Amino acid sequence: MDIIISNSSGEPIYEQICSQIKTMILEGKLQSGDALPSMRNLAQQLRISIITTKRAYEELERDGFIESYTGKGSFVKAQNTELLREEYLRQIEAHLASVCDKAQKCSLSLKELQEILAYLYGGNDNE
């Protein structure tokens, strides 16, 4: 499992781990039942504290992406389609908020932004 940690990012390391593992799950790179590296093993691979990996795994478990079993490890949880949809919507909203901010900074009208979105989404006939 390839996780890339950026020390220059303003995002905490545990959040970087969480978001990358979530992305792997959402993209199907990690499937239901797949084992994640042990917290200790991942900490050694990334050269970070085990406390950081523990926090990342706890967040992933709290959000319903993995399940952990004492003595066995952590595994990708079978995904509820509604949970996946909610996660995608959360990511889309974050991206769109950034897009709207940039559009406003360059005085792009809502109509122009909608036209761009319609074009990128597949043309005006997909309304």
Side-chain angles (χ1 to χ4, degrees):
M1 179 166 47
D2 292 327
I3 294 178
I4 299 166
I5 300 300
S6 171
N7 291 325
S8 62
S9 169
E11 184 179 34
I13 293 173
Y14 80 93
E15 286 181 6
Q16 292 179 48
I17 295 168
C18 283
S19 66
Q20 290 180 52
I21 291 175
K22 282 181 182 180
T23 298
M24 287 182 223
I25 293 170
L26 292 171
E27 291 177 349
K29 292 177 183 173
L30 288 174
Q31 301 287 322
S32 173
D34 285 352
L36 297 179
S38 71
M39 290 180 221
R40 178 171 278 117
N41 194 356
L42 184 60
Q44 288 173 345
Q45 287 174 11
L46 299 176
R47 297 183 177 156
I48 59 174
S49 165
I50 192 167
I51 295 168
T52 304
T53 57
K54 183 178 190 300
R55 183 162 181 197
Y57 279 28
E58 286 172 347
E59 291 282 321
L60 288 164
E61 191 164 12
R62 182 185 54 93
D63 292 346
F65 284 88
I66 67 170
E67 45 197 356
S68 300
Y69 302 98
T70 305
K72 292 184 181 179
S74 298
F75 301 87
V76 176
K77 190 173 181 178
Q79 295 301 304
N80 174 330
T81 56
E82 191 60 32
L83 176 67
L84 285 174
R85 180 173 165 71
E86 278 299 314
E87 182 61 23
Y88 277 129
L89 285 173
R90 188 191 64 72
Q91 290 179 8
I92 290 167
E93 288 171 358
H95 288 297
L96 287 175
S98 174
V99 167
C100 288
D101 182 53
K102 290 176 183 169
Q104 290 170 343
K105 285 180 181 174
C106 71
S107 302
L108 195 67
S109 73
L110 177 58
K111 184 172 176 22
E112 291 170 313
L113 184 60
Q114 288 171 329
E115 288 172 1
I116 293 169
L117 182 59
Y119 176 75
L120 293 173
Y121 196 77
N124 292 325
D125 55 336
N126 286 342
E127 292 180 27

